[in-house]
Amino acid sequence: MRIVLDRRAERPAVLGLLSPLLAVALTLLSALPIFLALGQDPLAALEVYLLAPLQDGWALQELAVKATPLVLISVGFAFCYRSGNWNIGAEGQFLLGAIAGGGIAVAAHGSGATGWVLPAMLVAGTAAGALYALIPAALKTRFGANEILTSLMLVYVAELLLDWLVRGPWRDPAGFNMPNTVSFDPAATVPTLLAEGRLNIGTPIALLIAALAALLLGRSLKGFEIRLAGEAPRAARFAGFSAARVTWVVFALSGGLAGLAGILEAAGTVGLLQPGLSPGYGFTAIIVAFLGRLNPLGCVVAGAFLALTFIGGENAQIMLRLPLDVTRVLQGMLLFYVLASDTLLLYRIRLLRGAVA
């Protein structure tokens, strides 16, 4: 007996919307035995993860802060994946954006510079992320290299570059030998929106970019070109669209948004450069993109939900003494169920009896 997947002739739109909800429900059901095995009351643990962060003003601010980079990166992923390209290296582009923008903050530290510093940091971070993403794009279009492997390997280059800089030439001389740069000057930090808390202008920037991205993908010729390249490559070629040009455009957009997320994190949330600047935003945003149905506005909702798991995981560490790895397991299961639900949405399972040919 063997299993055969037959592609469905039609995909009901309603099922496409229900698929993420099914994935979330299956993840929560799968979490119950995990909590039980760890000696916790499953329902109480889920309350700590999902409900407690919504009952506190400070936690709601932190949810928005953590959702911001996830939304920006996942919107960039939506462009790539809708075009049939796979950018897995947003974590590296995130870090390179932080390095490029943070380098300006380090250079301007103590100089008294004001108005131009933060805009220059944001532009440099965005440009650096875009240029870094163009490396796998160039390797794919020129040499046919697999963009999944090349973009992923470049993550380690960015991580090691950041580690070398903060332990070497950019290390704070008054930092008691800690591996970090000087704290950014006020002129080099992202303004906050409230008097207390870390909520900053990065969040409205992310929401604005998601809205503009939705218009670009759904209402423009370039968006049609991107979608057609992914859904019907042959039709795109007949229409005169260049697959190579689409690859360059979507990688530049994806990398630029990841780089912007990186410098917003460094200049807004952290206030300096250090190892471990990202808790894995570049990889978690893959889950956000698929949970959001590769739709920029869907990514906003999915980003908020994944941010909730980060906040809930921190709560569980404090209140339940659960390891952080439990949060990563739950996020991994969520991705698995999202992909499984999409597979069943696109294909029908058939069981065939008899010998395998």
Side-chain angles (χ1 to χ4, degrees):
M1 181 180 294
R2 59 195 176 107
I3 299 175
V4 177
L5 295 178
D6 292 331
R7 191 173 185 88
R8 297 180 186 271
E10 295 182 0
R11 186 180 71 174
V14 175
L15 292 181
L17 295 176
L18 292 179
S19 177
L21 299 178
L22 176 62
V24 171
L26 291 173
T27 301
L28 297 181
L29 287 175
S30 300
L32 298 180
I34 294 177
F35 292 134
L36 194 61
L38 293 172
Q40 301 291 336
D41 180 350
L43 296 181
L46 283 180
E47 182 181 0
V48 170
Y49 263 91
L50 301 179
L51 298 181
L54 302 177
Q55 300 171 1
D56 178 74
W58 179 87
L60 289 174
Q61 283 195 55
E62 286 299 300
L63 189 148
V65 167
K66 290 188 180 297
T68 297
L70 292 174
V71 170
L72 286 171
I73 299 171
S74 62
V75 167
F77 280 155
F79 282 103
C80 269
Y81 299 160
R82 292 286 290 271
S83 71
N85 291 282
W86 296 87
N87 177 19
I88 308 297
E91 183 82 356
Q93 296 142 26
F94 176 96
L95 294 177
L96 209 74
I99 291 171
I104 295 177
V106 172
H109 178 70
S111 66
T114 54
W116 63 270
V117 178
L118 184 60
M121 291 168 61
L122 297 180
V123 171
T126 304
L131 291 173
Y132 203 55
L134 288 179
I135 297 175
L139 292 174
K140 178 180 181 177
T141 56
R142 180 65 179 86
F143 302 105
N146 186 300
E147 74 274 20
I148 296 175
L149 297 177
T150 54
S151 62
L152 181 60
M153 288 189 292
L154 286 170
V155 172
Y156 302 103
V157 177
E159 287 178 343
L160 292 173
L161 176 61
L162 175 62
D163 192 73
W164 173 70
L165 287 171
V166 299
R167 295 179 189 275
W170 289 1
R171 184 168 59 187
D172 181 6
F176 302 100
N177 212 33
M178 296 294 291
N180 55 251
T181 64
V182 294
S183 296
F184 296 168
D185 289 338
T189 56
V190 178
T192 56
L193 296 177
L194 300 175
E196 297 182 357
R198 300 193 298 173
L199 184 65
N200 56 62
I201 62 170
T203 299
I205 288 174
L207 295 175
L208 176 61
I209 287 175
L212 294 175
L215 289 176
L216 177 60
L217 268 177
R219 301 289 182 177
S220 70
L221 178 60
K222 180 58 67 176
F224 173 72
E225 180 180 355
I226 290 171
R227 289 185 282 111
L228 189 63
E231 296 170 5
R234 291 185 62 190
R237 289 195 297 271
F238 284 130
F241 297 146
S242 168
R245 184 174 64 244
V246 169
T247 299
W248 281 75
V249 168
V250 295
F251 267 91
L253 285 171
S254 182
L257 290 178
L260 176 61
I263 186 54
L264 285 174
E265 182 74 7
T269 307
V270 181
L272 47 76
L273 294 179
Q274 62 185 13
L277 181 68
S278 168
Y281 288 137
F283 297 114
T284 306
I286 298 174
I287 307 174
V288 174
F290 282 101
L291 189 64
R293 317 310 299 152
L294 300 181
N295 182 301
L297 298 181
C299 290
V300 174
V301 179
F305 179 76
L306 265 294
L308 180 62
T309 66
F310 276 113
I311 302 296
E314 293 173 357
N315 282 349
Q317 282 182 280
I318 298 171
M319 300 172 63
L320 304 178
R321 300 292 189 268
L322 290 179
L324 181 61
D325 291 335
V326 174
T327 301
R328 294 175 179 148
V329 169
L330 295 180
Q331 292 174 348
M333 287 195 305
L334 179 59
L335 177 59
F336 171 80
Y337 284 127
V338 167
L339 297 179
S341 299
D342 284 349
T343 300
L344 295 177
L345 188 65
L346 294 173
Y347 297 91
R348 182 181 290 104
I349 297 178
R350 282 195 302 128
L351 298 178
L352 297 182
R353 298 180 181 275
V356 179

